[in-house]
């Protein structure tokens, strides 16, 4: 009897998973401003890889309708003509999403309006997370503008002020994610804000939330198991990038088209700068790098800038414009290997690596670069990195 009961439970679980694999979700709405060939696309990210699930054109009457296959519950991005996008939860809720669409402003700035999802409770959780992310980004812009307008002559003090403001936004973000998780622990989409919490510091919220989810069904239990594995993998990757750990090797092309790798630079202190031609903050950092290059180039310090530009022509054009006198590299895969390995999503991403090839300090800007070089030359021990100024050159700008 016990064997039969176990067989029945296994069969039911298999049927549930099979049903989930055949599920589709319909997303439809209107786009206010469109252009020829405008599309709405639904895709998912696996690291830096993009998997398109479905897409549909925007009709002459500005409406669209896209049917999305759902193999298992999870997040996805609904993109409107590469002008606006919104993170949604794909499971069993059809959605209505309206977009403003094409940016009609004379001066186009990557700061699109908030997008609301009309659906059920699972996507209402996504609305809460998305709205806070939108407001947090507006606050980040406002903080940056306030510091800039203050015209603080001491760059170090200016960066310290920016860091304090960003620290406050980070604390505020965590508080909101805790609140959302605590009050929505019975909804599968809560796994999205859960992933933004710290497994150790927020265990008082995470453990009961996961336990509550696991009581729902075998399908949800598997979803929670997948979440735990993903979090464990992410933790392992973060630990690989701690200060004092070996800088991971990766390959890139030189200006002459020759493929080389980071391990060729072992033996000297290295300032590694990930950047791109389209990234304003990256190019604003170039004068600082030039200044420090002149100061330290004869003291056993190498500089290497690696572009994650998608197109080589854009990189070479920017090289001529910036005239950086140190070694340059380009990643033909748009930086996917480097970004997955080094766990960054915003640029500029600047690291100081010691003579032994270990990460000395990362997330550096301005005076922080010079301080890290000086400390490394002086043989000071690796310590916790200083608070970095949040980058405005996020990957969404690509």
């Amino acid at each position: 009897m016990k064997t039969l009961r176990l067989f029945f439970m296994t069969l039911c679980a298999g049927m549930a998973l099979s049903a989930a694999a055949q599920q589709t979700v319909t997303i439809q709405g209107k786009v206010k401003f469109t252009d020829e060939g405008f599309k709405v696309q639904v895709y998912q990210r696996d690291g830096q890889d993009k998997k398109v699930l479905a897409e549909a054109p925007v009709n002459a009457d500005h409406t669209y309708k896209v049917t999305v296959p759902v193999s298992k519950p999870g997040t996805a991005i609904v993109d409107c003509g590469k002008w606006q996008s919104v993170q949604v939860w794909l499971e069993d809720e059809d959605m209505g999403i309206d977009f403003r669409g094409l940016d009609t402003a004379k001066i186009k700035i990557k700061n699109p309006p908030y997008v609301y999802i009309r659906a059920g409770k699972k996507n209402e959780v996504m609305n809460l997370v998305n709205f806070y992310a939108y407001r947090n980004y507006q606050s980040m812009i406002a903080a940056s503008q306030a510091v800039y307008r203050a015209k603080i002559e001491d760059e170090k003090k200016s960066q310290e002020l920016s860091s304090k403001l960003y620290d406050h936004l980070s604390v505020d973000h965590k508080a909101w994610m805790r609140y959302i998780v605590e009050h929505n622990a019975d909804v599968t989409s809560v796994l999205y804000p859960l992933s933004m919490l710290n497994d150790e510091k927020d265990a008082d919220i995470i453990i009961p939330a996961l336990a509550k989810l696991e009581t729902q069904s075998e399908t949800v239990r598997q979803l929670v198991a997948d979440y735990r594995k993903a979090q464990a993998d992410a933790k392992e990757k973060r630990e690989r990038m701690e200060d004092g750990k070996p800088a991971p090797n990766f390959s890139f092309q030189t200006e002459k088209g020759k493929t080389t790798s980071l391990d060729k630079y072992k033996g000297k202190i290295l300032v590694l700068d990930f950047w791109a031609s389209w990234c304003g903050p990256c190019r604003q950092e170039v004068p600082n790098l030039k200044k420090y290059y002149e100061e330290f180039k004869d003291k056993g310090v190498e500089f290497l800038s690696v572009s994650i530009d998608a197109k080589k022509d854009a990189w070479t054009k920017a090289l001529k414009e910036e005239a950086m006198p140190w070694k340059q590299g380009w990643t033909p895969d748009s930086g996917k290997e480097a970004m997955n390995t080094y766990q960054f999503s915003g640029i500029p991403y600047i690291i100081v690596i010691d003579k032994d090839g270990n990460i000395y300090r990362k997330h550096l800007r301005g005076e922080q670069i010079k301080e890290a070089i000086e400390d490394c030359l002086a043989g000071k021990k690796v310590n916790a990195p200083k608070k970095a100024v949040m980058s405005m050159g996020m990957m969404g700008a690509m």
Side-chain angles (χ1 to χ4, degrees):
M1 190 69 179
K2 184 177 180 182
T3 302
L4 182 61
R5 188 165 64 250
L6 287 171
F7 171 76
F8 180 76
M9 290 172 64
T10 303
L11 179 63
C12 288
M15 290 172 66
L17 289 170
S18 176
Q22 297 169 11
Q23 178 75 34
T24 61
V25 165
T26 299
I27 303 174
Q28 58 188 321
K30 288 190 173 184
V31 181
K32 188 173 183 180
F33 300 106
T34 65
D35 202 354
E36 186 178 352
F38 227 73
K39 291 181 180 179
V40 171
Q41 187 180 82
V42 183
Y43 65 90
Q44 291 177 322
R45 288 281 188 190
D46 182 7
Q48 299 303 321
D49 294 324
K50 176 180 176 180
K51 179 184 178 183
V52 177
L53 303 178
E55 63 180 18
V58 177
N59 303 315
D61 63 354
H62 292 241
T63 64
Y64 74 90
K65 183 177 181 180
V66 57
T67 301
V68 188
V70 182
S71 59
K72 68 176 182 178
T75 58
I77 296 168
V78 182
D79 177 86
C80 179
K82 297 184 178 180
W83 285 102
Q84 284 180 275
S85 63
V86 61
Q87 191 100 289
V88 302
W89 184 263
L90 289 180
E91 187 171 351
D92 53 10
E93 294 179 352
D94 291 335
M95 304 171 220
I97 305 175
D98 296 334
F99 293 98
R100 187 178 187 278
L102 183 71
D103 190 342
T104 58
K106 289 183 180 180
I107 300 176
K108 293 175 173 54
I109 302 172
K110 279 281 185 177
N111 187 19
Y114 172 70
V115 177
Y116 182 74
I117 310 162
R118 300 187 304 277
K121 188 174 181 180
K122 291 164 188 173
N123 275 287
E124 190 55 37
V125 170
M126 299 300 291
N127 279 328
L128 290 172
V129 177
N130 291 339
F131 184 71
Y132 183 76
Y134 169 76
R135 290 303 310 161
N136 187 264
Y137 185 64
Q138 302 309 307
S139 297
M140 185 178 76
I141 294 172
S144 298
Q145 290 176 341
V147 173
Y148 175 77
R149 288 168 183 162
K151 296 182 179 178
I152 302 170
E153 293 185 4
D154 188 320
E155 185 181 357
K156 186 175 181 180
K157 288 183 178 180
S158 177
Q159 290 184 346
E160 286 175 351
L161 176 59
S162 294
S163 291
K164 287 179 181 179
L165 292 171
Y166 292 142
D167 285 347
H168 170 74
L169 292 176
S170 178
V171 170
D172 193 50
H173 179 270
K174 178 180 174 180
W176 272 109
M177 294 309 105
R178 283 176 60 92
Y179 178 87
I180 292 170
V181 168
E182 187 175 8
H183 295 282
N184 295 277
D186 59 335
V187 185
T188 49
S189 58
V190 79
L191 289 172
Y192 182 52
L194 259 174
S195 67
M196 301 178 193
L197 298 179
N198 184 289
D199 287 342
E200 296 176 0
K201 295 179 181 178
D202 299 307
D204 61 318
I205 294 290
I206 294 174
I207 292 173
L210 291 177
K212 191 169 185 177
L213 278 177
E214 286 178 315
T215 63
Q216 293 187 18
S217 69
E218 179 60 32
T219 302
V220 178
R221 277 195 289 275
Q222 183 58 53
L223 198 62
V224 172
D226 291 344
Y227 167 83
R228 292 184 192 277
K229 183 179 184 304
Q231 290 299 98
D233 290 344
K235 181 181 179 182
E236 190 271 332
K237 287 180 179 179
R238 287 195 303 271
E239 289 175 348
R240 284 209 314 257
M241 282 301 297
E242 289 177 351
D243 292 352
K245 297 290 180 68
N249 193 31
F250 69 97
S251 59
F252 55 91
Q253 286 187 10
T254 65
E255 292 177 77
K256 294 182 179 180
K258 181 182 177 182
T259 299
T260 186
S261 56
L262 187 72
D263 56 8
K264 304 294 183 184
Y265 293 83
K266 195 171 182 179
K268 288 188 176 182
I269 293 171
L270 176 67
V271 178
L272 174 60
D273 163 42
F274 289 105
W275 73 296
S277 64
W278 47 261
C279 170
C282 299
R283 300 185 73 158
Q284 290 169 12
E285 202 65 51
V286 171
N288 287 325
L289 290 169
K290 284 183 176 179
K291 181 170 60 176
Y292 305 140
Y293 172 76
E294 291 299 326
E295 185 174 351
F296 295 106
K297 67 179 181 179
D298 297 324
K299 298 179 181 179
V301 180
E302 291 263 14
F303 282 64
L304 171 66
S305 290
V306 178
S307 165
I308 62 169
D309 275 293
K311 296 181 179 180
K312 188 173 183 178
D313 289 348
W315 170 55
T316 54
K317 181 176 181 291
L319 284 184
K320 292 177 182 177
E321 293 169 349
E322 297 295 349
M324 294 177 278
W326 54 88
K327 294 177 182 178
Q328 302 291 324
W330 174 66
T331 56
D333 64 348
S334 300
K336 290 179 181 178
E337 178 193 359
M339 290 162 65
N340 280 326
T341 302
Y342 276 80
Q343 295 292 290
F344 68 91
S345 59
I347 50 177
Y349 183 62
I350 302 173
I351 311 166
V352 169
I353 299 171
D354 67 20
K355 292 179 180 179
D356 297 322
N358 298 321
I359 298 167
Y360 186 76
R361 207 169 290 165
K362 56 188 180 293
H363 295 292
L364 304 171
R365 298 289 297 274
E367 286 288 328
Q368 297 172 339
I369 303 169
K370 180 179 179 179
E371 290 175 7
I373 295 171
E374 290 176 336
D375 288 349
C376 195
L377 282 170
K380 290 187 178 180
K381 291 183 179 179
V382 170
N383 52 26
K386 297 180 180 180
K387 298 288 184 181
V389 176
M390 191 177 295
S391 173
M392 297 289 284
M394 302 306 290
M395 300 315 300
M398 292 180 68

